[in-house]
Amino acid sequence: MNLRSVFTSILLCGALFGQSAAPASKESSSSAPPVSHQLNGNASAAQTASQQAKTVHAPYRPERFAGRAGTYYRLVWGIEGLSVKSAEAGEVIRFTYQVLDPKKAKTLNDKRFEPSLIDERAHVKLVVPQMDKVGKLRQAVPPEAGKQYWMLFSNKGGYVKRGDRVSAVIGSFRADGLVVD
């Protein structure tokens, strides 16, 4: 991919998002009365401008994955809503997912497979810790459709930080490029 095609793609995306934002701003401006009608003896122009600024919303929400990655996880593995979050002051990384198809997602909850979370930047491989009285800090029951499942990875030393891209590996399942929240 050359620089010219990247630049063209960026301009095209900017034009698409700019056009999608235009109708939302027209609706909000047409529904709000003109500034001259909002001003009264007690309100100032600065207060009116700040009230209008609060009502402006972003026209879109960014996706966690590219369209194909989300579709791949739904079709091949029967899961969606993959999430990786730092918890307990960064000492633990929580990996969650929601099951859509229990037969396809069976691999993720299988006790035989040892899950790991790999951070290429930090050069670490995190594992699920074993507690004395509790056991492994993961759910290993047969999956059910519509339920959310989780597993915790020990991050002692805080090697994996928020914003890092990690890969979750469980048996033959692999999810690359997950961003730690």
Side-chain angles (χ1 to χ4, degrees):
M1 185 179 263
N2 61 17
L3 186 61
R4 186 178 202 167
S5 63
V6 170
F7 183 72
T8 306
S9 299
I10 291 171
L11 285 177
L12 180 61
C13 288
L16 290 174
F17 289 131
Q19 289 175 357
S20 66
S25 63
K26 286 180 184 176
E27 291 174 4
S28 65
S29 65
S30 65
S31 65
V35 175
S36 61
H37 295 308
Q38 289 180 353
L39 292 177
N40 59 23
N42 298 332
S44 68
Q47 289 174 340
T48 306
S50 67
Q51 289 172 354
Q52 287 179 348
K54 289 179 186 176
T55 60
V56 176
H57 300 287
Y60 68 96
R61 284 185 69 155
E63 293 292 325
R64 292 186 83 64
F65 306 108
R68 291 183 180 179
T71 304
Y72 169 77
Y73 294 128
R74 278 191 297 279
L75 294 176
V76 175
W77 294 103
I79 60 172
E80 71 176 0
L82 295 165
S83 170
V84 181
K85 294 184 180 180
S86 177
E88 303 299 326
E91 293 292 317
V92 173
I93 305 294
R94 181 183 171 109
F95 172 66
T96 60
Y97 55 93
Q98 184 174 2
V99 172
L100 299 175
D101 186 354
K103 290 179 184 176
K104 293 178 181 177
K106 191 174 174 182
T107 303
L108 280 79
N109 287 24
D110 196 343
K111 289 181 183 181
R112 295 177 294 161
F113 299 119
E114 187 66 33
S116 61
L117 198 68
I118 301 168
D119 186 346
E120 296 289 333
R121 182 201 55 82
H123 303 290
V124 294
K125 180 179 177 181
L126 305 180
V127 295
V128 176
Q130 172 89 22
M131 304 299 285
D132 292 336
K133 295 185 179 184
V134 180
K136 294 268 186 187
L137 294 179
R138 68 176 285 195
Q139 291 176 306
V141 296
E144 295 179 30
K147 289 196 174 182
Q148 189 169 18
Y149 294 90
W150 57 267
M151 58 187 67
L152 300 178
F153 294 92
S154 176
N155 189 27
K156 192 168 185 171
Y159 295 108
V160 178
K161 304 201 181 320
R162 286 191 170 121
D164 286 358
R165 291 195 177 270
V166 295
S167 299
V169 180
I170 307 166
S172 59
F173 171 80
R174 183 176 181 99
D176 292 320
L178 302 172
V179 179
V180 179
D181 292 335

